[in-house]
Amino acid sequence: MSDLTPLARFGGLLATDLRDVTSDPEALDSTGWWAVVADFEGGLRCARFGDVRPAPVPAPVPGRWRGPAPADWVSSLDRAAYTDGVRRIRERIAAGDVYQANLCRVLSAPLPDPGPEASDVDQLTALLARGNPAPYAGTVRLPAHGVEIATASPELYLRRVGRTVESGPIKGTGRTAADLQEKDHAENVMITDLVRNDLGRVCVPGSITVPALCAVEPHPGLVHLVSTVRGTLGDTPLTDGATGSWARLLDGTFPPGSVTGAPKASALRIIRELETAPRGPYCGGVGWVDADRGTGELAVGIRTFWIERGGVAARLCFGAGAGITWGSDPEGEWAETELKAARLLAVASGTNDTYGTYDAYETSTPGRCERRTALRGR
């Protein structure tokens, strides 16, 4: 994949001229402009670029992106396994082990042409910008380092401007505001409190505020409940010895609370028990840091595609999930994951004129499923 030059694209900026790649978060408090990808399981890639300039997302070039066939998408958890997982989480809630846990599945499909002329993830970004615009959209393309990501994330994980830090947890999803239920509001408040506690580990005591709680925010094809949590970054190192501001922020708050659950440690144990595939960059952190200016913006890695390559083959991956509480209906939670995935899978497969629904998966092997129904237009 050497024909694809390294680049990153966020917030109207295009970064090229790759200078350095590291897994050390302390680098984010050194110098330069960095693209950041943090996997849900803890892997970190920070890439410093030498040329960063304003540039619009390019128009799609015919032939530069050949997406999977709609019928080729498979899921790490089929409908039966997912709804059973919801029931098992409800049992753990009844037992007092957890209040809420996110249950996610990874969808994947083979790319019909893995060559650089037809699988440029930046071209997928161009399609997403038109078919599913998002406030934290972006690209990280580092082929030599196994990172090829296009995100249409609607959710802020961490924003930093000097010593002010902010997070925007999303909990509650519906087609319209009228679909949002009491359960959605309760879940949002619960996770907002978790994010307050996470930021409280690295912020000045008493500085945490919640400027917005359960605000309804529209996005293509759906609405979310979004809260805002803000604090002033402190300077006390954490117990693991992390000293840099970004290292302490990541250590104190990762993985994002909105995609784990509460209490976070208990939710993570349940996630490991029930999910059959690693999330990778899905539900991690994706974005940029300007170390010279003390600013940065990381999105929660939802509504995110990534390419996994092996030899001459390549697969496009995507994750979808839902927060499970005692009030969750198993079939309703499955439907929520379908709603979150449908529009974006259609864009990636080149069928975004239908915005169809993907459903009824059957497991064939661990981490893989066979799809029983075709993409359905509405």
Side-chain angles (χ1 to χ4, degrees), residues 133-146:
Y136 305 106
T139 309
V140 182
R141 192 175 74 188
L142 304 170
H145 299 275

Side-chain angles (χ1 to χ4, degrees), residues 108-374:
S108 64
L111 287 172
D113 184 350
E117 68 282 352
S119 63
D120 180 359
V121 76
D122 194 41
Q123 281 293 299
L124 177 54
T125 296
L127 293 172
L128 291 171
R130 286 151 180 80
N132 198 97
Y136 305 106
T139 309
V140 182
R141 192 175 74 188
L142 304 170
H145 299 275
V147 178
E148 295 175 79
I149 291 174
T151 183
S153 177
E155 182 172 5
L156 176 65
Y157 166 38
L158 288 172
R159 176 184 295 122
R160 178 186 169 195
V161 179
R163 292 172 62 84
T164 300
V165 293
E166 189 172 282
S167 186
I170 286 177
K171 276 298 164 192
T173 301
R175 293 186 184 277
T176 68
D179 295 329
L180 297 169
Q181 304 171 18
E182 182 179 346
K183 171 255 183 190
D184 297 305
H185 287 79
E187 188 180 358
N188 188 291
V189 171
M190 185 186 309
I191 296 304
T192 297
D193 192 51
L194 185 152
V195 173
R196 287 177 65 250
N197 290 336
D198 280 355
L199 283 179
R201 299 184 63 205
V202 295
C203 286
V204 174
S207 70
I208 304 295
T209 61
V210 181
L213 182 65
C214 294
V216 177
E217 191 172 278
H219 292 273
L222 48 75
V223 297
H224 287 305
L225 287 178
V226 185
S227 295
T228 302
V229 184
R230 186 177 298 153
T232 301
L233 187 63
D235 55 9
T236 303
L238 299 182
T239 54
D240 71 346
T243 57
S245 298
W246 280 102
R248 287 185 288 112
L249 273 169
L250 293 172
D251 188 58
T253 64
F254 195 83
S258 64
V259 290
T260 53
K264 185 183 283 189
S266 299
L268 286 170
R269 284 194 294 271
I270 292 172
I271 287 168
R272 287 191 289 268
E273 292 171 10
L274 296 181
E275 295 185 11
T276 60
R279 296 186 185 181
Y282 170 59
C283 292
V286 184
W288 59 273
V289 168
D290 188 331
D292 297 323
R293 292 175 171 82
T295 59
E297 193 170 78
L298 304 182
V300 179
I302 58 174
R303 317 294 197 272
T304 297
F305 291 94
W306 69 101
I307 297 175
E308 293 182 352
R309 299 187 186 272
V312 297
R315 297 187 71 84
L316 183 65
C317 303
F318 181 86
I324 312 305
T325 66
W326 175 248
S328 291
D329 168 67
E331 291 294 337
E333 299 297 349
W334 169 263
E336 180 174 320
T337 69
E338 295 280 274
L339 174 63
K340 290 172 178 176
R343 187 184 187 105
L344 287 112
L345 296 188
V347 172
S349 290
T351 56
N352 57 305
D353 56 323
T354 64
Y355 301 133
T357 299
Y358 290 76
D359 61 4
Y361 293 88
E362 286 295 322
T363 301
S364 54
T365 57
R368 292 289 180 262
C369 307
E370 294 176 355
R371 190 153 162 250
R372 295 193 304 176
T373 56

